[in-house]
Amino acid sequence: MSGVDGSAALLPEPVDGEAAQRAEALRLKKSHDEEFRVFTEQSYHTVERILRARRWDREAIKDALQEAYLQGRVQWPKIRTYTEPMAWTIATARNKLLKEHDRRQRERAMPPEDLPPEAKPDIADAWEAQETLRTWLQQLPARQAEVFQMSREGFSNQEIARILGLADISVRRYKAAARQHLRQLAEQAGYTDSDNRRRPGGARGPR
Amino acid sequence: MDLDDILALAETAEPSPLELARARRVARTVQSAYDLSLADGYQILVDADLVDPLTAKVDEASRIARAAQLAKRGTITWTIGAGEAQGHLKWSDEMSMIFGNAPGTLTLTPEVLGEFVHPADAPAVREAVETAWAQHRPGDVTFRVIHPSGSVHHVHCDIEILTTAGEPSGIVATGVDVTTLETDRQERRRLATRRAMLCADLAARDLVTGLPTRGYLTDEVDRARRTTDGALIVVATEPATLLSAKVTDHDRERLTSDIAGLLRTIAGPGPTCGLVGPGLWGVLVCSPQQGADAADDLAHRIVDTFRRHLFTVQQKALRLSTCAGVVRFTAGVTATGFDLLVDGEHAAREAGRTSVAVQVLDRPAPREDRTERCRSRVLHAVATDRFALYAQPLVDLGLNQVTRHEILLRVRGDTGELLAPWAFLDMAERVGEILAVDKWVIDHALELIGQGAQTSHYQVNISGKSLADPGLLTYVTEAIRRHRVKAECLTFEITETALIENRNEALAFATGIREIGCQLALDDFGTGYAALAYLKYLPVDLVKIDGVFVVDICQSPPDQAVVSKLVELCHALGIRVAAECVQDQGTVDLLRAYGVDFAQGYKLGRPEPLAASLTTGPTTIELEIRFPDRHTALG
């Protein structure tokens, strides 16, 4: 017995009440099924990208996502009313990962100091750009990486603070620190010259 | 391309068909799991928090504490009280447990908190908090916490500033126990250090030729004779004409290295070649298939090529008179690697004596014959004075001048040439006749020293094996008295190539020798049998660090670690330290910086005949300080 009853009770024919109630519940479930499918297919990549900003094991991320979405489906009638169901999914999957991580108490991925030095050729396409960014992000402090990735996915500072459980003024600072950190890593890897924006008053002058 | 370009490019990435399929699969799997639970009538447990994170209406501090709680993190919040200047400090139950306290058992104050933080980390924690507060900037700190039980845990905290209406109003720290991560990290760091510091076995290679040493080849022969048939070739080479007096040690080393190169070329990659004595080369051939003739052929080839080859010394052509001995062995033979080596040397010498190119032994000689032959060789050498004494200066790095000399033995070869004694001493030690040699050295060295001005300090070598002889102390005391040598000018170096045979007797000798005023040194420290325990109970005055730790020290962090710490250790025990094999100025500077007391090596002075260095008197000894060191000594 759940919230479905309320809407069924409003139906006009009390004679056929039971059958209609069941038909209505089925219709509602069907519509929720479809709604949830669309939500999952649309949000999955974003959530995954955000979680992968940290150095978590990919398999662990997959498992946590699976579980978070399953619980999301169970509670969908409630969660669908949230401002942004994806925010709940991120927070839930992330909490699972944090707890799981503590329980096993070990870093599955390579620690930053052991990462092989960057020796990438030119970044040719969007996919390579994304992968490169990810390896850099994973060398950042976890909070900076998460905040940066979430802001890239379009979350506002306030939303980020609430989803990750951060102080309001921290988000801006973490984002700036992340960008500075990334710029350093990019420069270390030899990506220093902007190729499509020539700064008019640039110190180097035209070449 | 710069970061902005990469970000922009990454933005354009679309999920690949594979990724899209994955999302669809997740949606399908979740849906079917859900449907199954409905059909079977069981409930899927939902342990997640069912609150919309974006709309919950709570104050900032509670919101952060709640989020931390859900992620099993602890929080400490400090808020500026409206009335009290002290402010308000509290921690979550989780944080209380991270600090080792049951929730709710403590009233938290900064002092209480401070007591749990490891004293060494407290300043860092304070600084992190103060910086965050002063700059309104989040920070983080990892520190150690001491639980009431005494156990130490590593905790990582993210520090953030709370605001009320845009104004800073408090601090929140979100923390988690990272002990396991931290110990893992330390272990990784240790392994990386270990990898970086681990060296190849330098002692196995001769420094001049790069060939395996006598010890290494002996072990290899010993290994081979246990499992396979084979043969050991020993090649004896010596200059056909006597080298002129102008030929320096450096020229000799060049010649030795040329011979080694040629030998390696002839032998090829299969057999193991090694330098087994001055002018003596060993080649181990393991050839169960090829038959024993292969080794004989190789021996002939080596001898022929060596005899025909023109070597150059100081731009002059030089021929080598060469002969070889071959000793064959079968798998499981009882003769040891050393025995085979001695037989090979003997065969080579026989070949030289009877003027044949190669002398072949079908099997190792009977044990008694071999031992008897070696014994009589040593005793004959002692009886006929086939030795000479050289002296090599040691520089006092504090005073920057030569204050000591080590007396070195040279053995006269069959043609009268003086050779380095290590192969001879190895044999003498193994057949138990080293005492006779040591006594010869003591007697003759003291005689020469007694004839001189006795202005230096002299270091005389004694084998660890000889110390077992109860008569040695009396012999030394008597020699000192007979030759009128000042006892305080003498140091006896115990060479640790062989185990000290009798600890009690060695201790008695060491104590006795110091009672009459002489000093005691341990030679080749760090490679032989000398244990650290010796430093504790033997009354040692000087430790000479073996050359393998010194030759390459400028480029070798492991050697630097060993030498610098060994100096520290010795000085703490009241023992002075000398370094052998010092080859350049950089090494001298480094050793001086480590506090090494004496340095010895070709750079600082080569061995000279003892008689000469004594009779020329003290003035020439000072002239021998050729290196322009004064400026480095001053700064």
Side-chain angles (χ1 to χ4, degrees):
Chain A
M1 296 281 142
S2 67
V4 178
D5 292 39
S7 51
L10 293 175
L11 288 173
E13 291 110 331
V15 193
D16 221 5
E18 199 120 315
Q21 227 171 14
R22 232 175 295 128
E24 173 58 16
L26 205 63
R27 191 191 59 76
L28 200 63
K29 181 182 176 295
K30 270 226 155 85
S31 103
H32 282 181
D33 285 350
E34 177 59 15
E35 203 176 78
F36 184 77
R37 183 187 65 77
V38 173
F39 164 70
T40 305
E41 287 179 13
Q42 281 177 352
S43 62
Y44 189 82
H45 306 293
T46 311
V47 180
E48 192 191 31
R49 276 199 298 270
I50 289 168
L51 295 178
R52 285 190 68 196
R54 280 176 82 136
R55 270 180 289 117
W56 273 323
D57 182 61
R58 270 194 92 158
E59 283 302 305
I61 291 178
K62 227 175 96 182
D63 294 349
L65 276 173
Q66 182 106 3
E67 211 181 320
Y69 274 106
L70 180 58
Q71 297 195 358
R73 177 63 195 90
V74 174
Q75 294 293 339
W76 185 245
K78 188 166 184 185
I79 288 163
R80 65 188 286 273
T81 63
Y82 287 0
T83 325
E84 173 55 274
M86 194 174 17
W88 179 88
T89 316
I90 295 167
T92 304
R94 184 171 171 273
N95 282 344
K96 284 187 190 311
L97 280 165
L98 285 171
K99 278 190 252 180
E100 172 73 359
H101 189 67
D102 289 353
R103 198 168 58 74
R104 280 186 292 178
Q105 278 275 323
R106 62 193 160 119
E107 281 169 294
R108 293 288 296 273
M110 263 198 294
E113 60 257 48
D114 288 0
L115 284 175
E118 303 289 329
K120 280 221 168 70
D122 264 351
I123 294 169
D125 57 32
W127 186 82
E128 277 178 20
Q130 212 172 32
E131 287 300 306
T132 310
L133 271 175
R134 186 163 14 248
T135 60
W136 289 342
L137 274 178
Q138 290 179 351
Q139 297 175 50
L140 264 51
R143 286 187 165 199
Q144 293 180 17
E146 286 179 314
V147 166
F148 189 82
Q149 184 61 31
M150 286 190 75
S151 88
R152 285 185 69 218
E153 302 291 350
F155 289 91
S156 73
N157 284 4
Q158 205 203 3
E159 286 169 339
I160 296 174
R162 282 167 172 269
I163 295 168
L164 298 183
L166 305 178
D168 293 325
I169 62 159
S170 300
V171 176
R172 202 161 39 88
R173 299 288 200 172
Y174 281 137
K175 221 194 300 184
R179 182 170 278 276
Q180 195 186 349
H181 220 125
L182 283 173
R183 197 173 297 283
Q184 268 174 20
L185 288 171
E187 278 166 14
Q188 272 170 29
Y191 299 105
T192 46
D193 302 309
S194 173
D195 45 18
N196 44 20
R197 282 177 297 279
R198 181 145 300 162
R199 280 165 233 135
R204 297 225 190 112
R207 245 194 294 187
Chain B
M1 211 173 207
D2 69 357
L3 180 63
D4 294 326
D5 300 324
I6 297 172
L7 284 170
L9 185 57
E11 218 65 64
T12 64
E14 293 287 333
S16 68
L18 217 67
E19 286 173 318
L20 289 173
R22 201 165 65 229
R24 276 200 300 275
R25 199 165 54 240
V26 171
R28 253 195 334 266
T29 322
V30 163
Q31 186 64 50
S32 60
Y34 177 59
D35 288 345
L36 192 69
S37 81
L38 289 183
D40 290 1
Y42 64 86
Q43 284 217 317
I44 292 171
L45 190 75
V46 178
D47 56 0
D49 192 33
L50 285 174
V51 178
D52 183 355
L54 297 185
T55 52
K57 281 233 176 301
V58 278
D59 69 293
E60 193 181 19
S62 323
R63 178 172 67 72
I64 293 171
R66 174 84 185 128
Q69 172 85 37
L70 287 171
K72 295 276 273 183
R73 262 72 183 143
T75 48
I76 300 178
T77 46
W78 175 77
T79 41
I80 303 174
E84 329 115 278
Q86 258 294 333
H88 185 57
L89 193 66
K90 70 171 186 209
W91 61 14
S92 67
D93 292 352
E94 184 69 31
M95 193 59 118
S96 172
M97 289 193 289
I98 289 174
F99 275 66
N101 292 278
T105 49
L106 274 180
T107 319
L108 203 60
T109 63
E111 291 72 35
V112 170
L113 197 58
E115 273 170 34
F116 289 113
V117 176
H118 194 289
D121 295 344
V125 174
R126 201 171 308 126
E127 201 203 311
V129 173
E130 281 167 5
T131 312
W133 181 246
Q135 301 182 351
H136 300 164
R137 182 187 290 276
D140 68 311
V141 63
T142 303
F143 56 96
R144 282 163 292 175
V145 161
I146 303 173
H147 282 194
S149 69
S151 66
V152 174
H153 294 252
H154 292 262
V155 173
H156 178 263
C157 273
D158 282 300
I159 301 163
E160 293 179 277
I161 304 301
L162 297 167
T163 47
T164 310
E167 282 304 305
S169 60
I171 297 177
V172 59
T174 312
V176 61
D177 189 315
V178 291
T179 309
T180 316
L181 293 187
E182 195 56 36
T183 43
D184 283 359
R185 192 167 298 146
Q186 284 169 6
E187 177 65 1
R188 273 201 306 275
R189 220 170 292 149
R190 181 191 73 76
L191 286 173
T193 309
R194 192 69 203 106
R195 259 197 309 278
M197 293 296 243
L198 194 62
C199 310
D201 185 6
L202 196 69
R205 302 261 151 207
D206 178 64
L207 291 174
V208 174
T209 59
L211 286 181
T213 57
R214 180 181 174 96
Y216 181 89
L217 193 80
T218 309
D219 285 354
E220 282 299 292
V221 174
D222 205 51
R223 186 153 75 172
R225 61 103 183 172
R226 286 167 200 269
T227 51
T228 62
D229 296 353
L232 176 68
I233 307 170
V234 175
V235 183
T237 59
E238 58 188 4
T241 48
L242 212 57
L243 293 173
S244 83
K246 271 185 274 173
V247 172
T248 62
D249 289 345
H250 183 68
D251 295 325
R252 284 175 204 273
E253 284 178 3
R254 276 274 300 279
L255 177 64
T256 309
S257 143
D258 288 348
I259 299 173
L262 187 60
L263 178 68
R264 237 185 314 219
T265 317
I266 307 167
T272 312
C273 304
L275 180 64
V276 296
L280 273 182
W281 310 86
V283 181
L284 170 64
V285 187
C286 302
S287 53
Q289 286 95 25
Q290 295 159 321
D293 293 342
D296 300 356
D297 289 349
L298 180 59
H300 278 286
R301 225 165 45 242
I302 293 171
V303 172
D304 288 347
T305 318
F306 274 19
R307 284 181 176 177
R308 266 184 285 121
H309 193 85
L310 279 181
F311 295 88
T312 41
V313 174
Q314 289 191 331
Q315 283 99 43
K316 275 194 218 122
L318 175 79
R319 278 187 193 281
L320 292 180
S321 54
T322 310
C323 49
V326 178
V327 53
R328 295 178 186 166
F329 57 88
T330 48
V333 71
T334 48
T336 64
F338 169 75
D339 294 342
L340 292 168
L341 195 59
V342 168
D343 287 349
E345 283 173 34
H346 179 68
R349 202 170 293 113
E350 280 300 296
R353 205 172 52 80
T354 55
S355 306
V356 296
V358 177
Q359 168 93 20
V360 180
L361 293 180
D362 283 331
R363 65 185 66 79
R367 174 182 298 276
E368 298 76 26
D369 291 6
R370 182 186 309 116
T371 313
E372 196 43 47
R373 217 167 46 226
C374 289
R375 280 229 174 93
S376 66
R377 241 190 97 204
V378 174
L379 295 177
H380 179 75
V382 172
T384 54
D385 292 339
R386 295 187 71 84
F387 303 118
L389 292 174
Y390 274 52
Q392 185 178 21
L394 275 82
V395 174
D396 183 319
L397 291 178
L399 300 176
N400 219 2
Q401 49 184 300
V402 173
T403 56
R404 291 173 173 232
H405 287 81
E406 180 183 1
I407 311 293
L408 297 167
L409 183 67
R410 291 288 180 268
V411 181
R412 238 172 254 286
D414 296 332
T415 51
E417 181 146 9
L418 290 172
L419 302 169
W422 39 272
F424 180 86
L425 292 178
D426 179 36
M427 181 180 71
E429 232 166 29
R430 287 197 195 230
V431 297
E433 290 297 342
I434 191 69
L435 181 64
V437 182
D438 279 344
K439 282 185 170 174
W440 188 97
V441 171
I442 291 166
D443 191 42
H444 287 77
L446 295 194
E447 182 182 359
L448 287 172
I449 293 166
Q451 288 165 4
Q454 301 194 37
T455 48
S456 188
H457 186 104
Y458 304 95
Q459 310 201 157
V460 181
N461 290 287
I462 293 181
S463 162
K465 276 204 156 179
S466 302
L467 297 190
D469 186 78
L472 186 66
L473 183 59
T474 327
Y475 185 85
V476 172
T477 319
E478 204 273 326
I480 289 175
R481 193 188 48 74
R482 179 154 38 97
H483 298 300
R484 285 195 282 278
V485 176
K486 289 187 245 167
E488 62 274 20
C489 289
L490 285 177
T491 289
F492 288 93
E493 291 185 17
I494 302 176
T495 33
E496 270 301 314
T497 44
L499 198 61
I500 284 189
E501 259 191 2
N502 187 325
R503 222 178 66 126
N504 301 354
E505 201 53 56
L507 188 56
F509 174 83
T511 315
I513 208 78
R514 285 182 90 244
E515 266 167 19
I516 61 171
C518 300
Q519 296 201 334
L520 198 68
L522 286 179
D523 201 4
D524 301 330
F525 193 79
T527 54
Y529 290 94
L532 283 178
Y534 287 3
L535 301 184
K536 232 173 86 174
Y537 69 77
L538 275 186
V540 174
D541 298 290
L542 176 76
V543 155
K544 293 183 78 178
I545 300 175
D546 192 273
V548 294
F549 297 109
V550 180
V551 277
D552 214 15
I553 192 167
C554 290
Q555 278 78 45
S556 160
D559 289 342
Q560 290 166 11
V562 169
V563 172
S564 62
K565 297 304 165 200
L566 198 53
V567 171
E568 229 170 87
L569 170 66
C570 288
H571 283 177
L573 296 171
I575 298 170
R576 304 187 82 184
V577 181
E580 302 167 346
C581 291
V582 177
Q583 286 176 326
D584 51 45
Q585 187 61 46
T587 306
V588 172
D589 294 341
L590 195 61
L591 293 174
R592 187 179 282 128
Y594 289 152
V596 171
D597 300 280
F598 300 99
Q600 180 180 12
Y602 284 0
K603 153 91 177 82
L604 306 170
R606 287 177 170 273
E608 305 281 345
L610 176 59
S613 80
L614 289 175
T615 48
T616 41
T619 43
T620 38
I621 290 179
E622 276 181 37
L623 282 176
E624 277 176 8
I625 315 164
R626 271 162 281 168
F627 55 106
D629 239 353
R630 214 121 283 184
H631 59 283
T632 51
L634 292 173

